[in-house]
Amino acid sequence: MTLDIPFDNTFAQLPPEFYSRQAPTPVGEPKLLAYNEALGSTLGIGTAALDVRAEVFSGNVVPTGAAPLAQLYAGHQFGSFNPQLGDGRAILMGEVVGADGLRRDIQLKGAGRTPYSRGGDGRAWMGPVLREYVISEAMHALGIPTTRALAAVSTGEMVWREGGLPGAVLTRVAKSHLRVGTFQVYASRGQVEALKTLTDYAIARHYPEAEGRMGLLRAVRDAQVELIAAWMSVGFIHGVMNTDNSSIAGETIDYGPCAFMDVYHPSRVFSSIDRMGRYAYSNQPNIAVWNLAQLATALIQQYDASEAVVEEATEIVHAMPDLLEVAWLQRFRAKLGITTAQDEDMELITDLMRAMAEGQADFTNSFRALVDGGARDQFLDPAAFDLWEPRWRHRLEGEPDPEAVMRAANPVLIPRNHRIEQMIASAVAGDMAPFERLMAALANPFEARAEFEDLRRPPAEEEVVKATFCGT
Ligand code: AMP
Ligand code: MG
């Protein structure tokens, strides 16, 4: 018996220069660790016994209608161009159109080697698989565009990283896996026809309303602007904003060494290899602009480099910092309960954040405490907050319902890094209870519930996770 998945594949119909057909490599002893029933039902995936799901979402059984393939892409990694990356351990099984009318990719991550694996083993271990599962679903519950997690399966095989670790496969669901790097690969090779085909495909799939030669660039920019502003508003650090991890559909994608901040600091990084702070919290808007410039450079290659096209692309990219500021301001005004715009708002927000950084205030708890009470207790030295608070109270005069606005903009719960690490340690030891509990709590991140009070607590000194690693 297999699983009924209503595949309807379009990417697999594109010419062969876009991918390599590649079936998943079977694993020894697949066991279902987690399955997202709600998402599965939106996607129209049939019900099945646990072992059938484990067979399909480990890649051991290729369901009817799937057209497994590895996608080709390139990318700037930490600023330097790698002309050929591609899915080295991920396999696109196909697409489905969900009950909500949305077309989505179903991809197995950690499903074995592909022609793009280079030196890698094509596998993933349980830690990053469960981290991505929890964080991506938490992100979704926070209302932020993201790839989703459908299933996690342990493989019964070891993978070798710093030592031997239990292997796992993540089933990831995305609006698509088209990246800035997908365009870069054909642009850098001078494959103009492929670039045109890809551009048409991306517009038809994601932005059918896009107009003109640079319509795609403008649409991606606007989606990225909203995404980055949303990340900033919850203290999220992606960690590896390489152009191959930058989604054309504007979703958060590729949860590697990412994290939500505990104590606020603008230059916080999480990746152990990000020594220059390229992907630090406060540098994310700059990097998003940089990545868009790379997309512009790639897209231009398909037009006779007429001045008009270059000018239009330049204008689109150059407008991005201002748009980011507008989106950022809107998010952070809401965090303070403000729905109107005044010139001094920027200063009001940045003054609070400077006090937070100096006072080593917890990002999530400080903002939430503005509405729940106890904000000054979040600061090591509350003097700066005490000076700031009356300005803020004054600014709120005339706001109809600032408390409701703040409760909707300031989550109670985020997936804190130390909880994720504790959850992974338990899962490796065979105990999925902390995973289940985190998932239950993070499903309603704006709600304060007594049973999950402990999950609001920042890490104790010995619990602080300094960096998460790329060894995923
Ligand atoms: P990432 O840092 O996860 O975005 O991955 C960067 C590139 O390395 C992508 O092309 C991945 O497919 C590839 N990659 C990462 N880990 C592995 C692995 N274990 N085996 C093969 N390729 C990998
Ligand atoms: Mg990647």
Side-chain angles (χ1 to χ4, degrees), residues 35 132 168 191 257 366 469:
Y35 185 74
E132 176 160 342
Q191 289 179 242
S366 298
F469 299 92

Short mmCIF file of all heavy atoms in Angstrom, two decimals, residues 35 132 168 191 257 366 469:
data_model
loop_
_atom_site.label_atom_id
_atom_site.label_comp_id
_atom_site.label_asym_id
_atom_site.label_seq_id
_atom_site.Cartn_x
_atom_site.Cartn_y
_atom_site.Cartn_z
N TYR A 35 4.54 14.16 12.09
CA TYR A 35 3.75 14.38 10.88
C TYR A 35 2.78 15.52 11.14
O TYR A 35 2.13 15.58 12.18
CB TYR A 35 3.00 13.11 10.46
CG TYR A 35 2.27 13.28 9.15
CD1 TYR A 35 2.96 13.30 7.94
CD2 TYR A 35 0.89 13.46 9.12
CE1 TYR A 35 2.30 13.49 6.74
CE2 TYR A 35 0.21 13.65 7.92
CZ TYR A 35 0.93 13.66 6.73
OH TYR A 35 0.27 13.86 5.54
N GLU A 132 14.60 22.56 12.10
CA GLU A 132 13.85 23.20 11.01
C GLU A 132 12.35 22.94 11.15
O GLU A 132 11.54 23.83 10.90
CB GLU A 132 14.35 22.70 9.63
CG GLU A 132 13.51 23.27 8.49
CD GLU A 132 14.17 23.24 7.12
OE1 GLU A 132 15.41 23.08 7.04
OE2 GLU A 132 13.44 23.39 6.13
N ALA A 168 18.16 11.51 9.65
CA ALA A 168 16.72 11.79 9.52
C ALA A 168 16.46 12.47 8.18
O ALA A 168 17.39 12.98 7.53
CB ALA A 168 16.25 12.68 10.67
N GLN A 191 23.35 31.30 -20.57
CA GLN A 191 22.23 30.52 -21.15
C GLN A 191 20.97 31.37 -21.14
O GLN A 191 20.10 31.24 -20.27
CB GLN A 191 22.03 29.23 -20.36
CG GLN A 191 23.14 28.22 -20.59
CD GLN A 191 22.93 26.94 -19.78
OE1 GLN A 191 23.73 26.60 -18.93
NE2 GLN A 191 21.83 26.25 -20.03
N PRO A 257 21.95 27.62 10.60
CA PRO A 257 22.37 28.16 11.89
C PRO A 257 21.57 29.41 12.25
O PRO A 257 22.10 30.45 12.56
CB PRO A 257 23.84 28.51 11.66
CG PRO A 257 23.93 28.74 10.19
CD PRO A 257 22.85 27.98 9.52
N SER A 366 10.81 41.79 26.55
CA SER A 366 10.73 43.23 26.77
C SER A 366 9.57 43.84 26.01
O SER A 366 8.80 44.63 26.55
CB SER A 366 12.04 43.91 26.36
OG SER A 366 13.10 43.43 27.14
N PHE A 469 25.53 25.44 14.10
CA PHE A 469 26.59 25.16 13.15
C PHE A 469 26.07 24.84 11.76
O PHE A 469 24.95 24.38 11.60
CB PHE A 469 27.46 24.02 13.69
CG PHE A 469 28.08 24.39 15.00
CD1 PHE A 469 27.47 24.09 16.20
CD2 PHE A 469 29.26 25.12 15.02
CE1 PHE A 469 28.02 24.48 17.40
CE2 PHE A 469 29.82 25.53 16.21
CZ PHE A 469 29.21 25.21 17.41
#
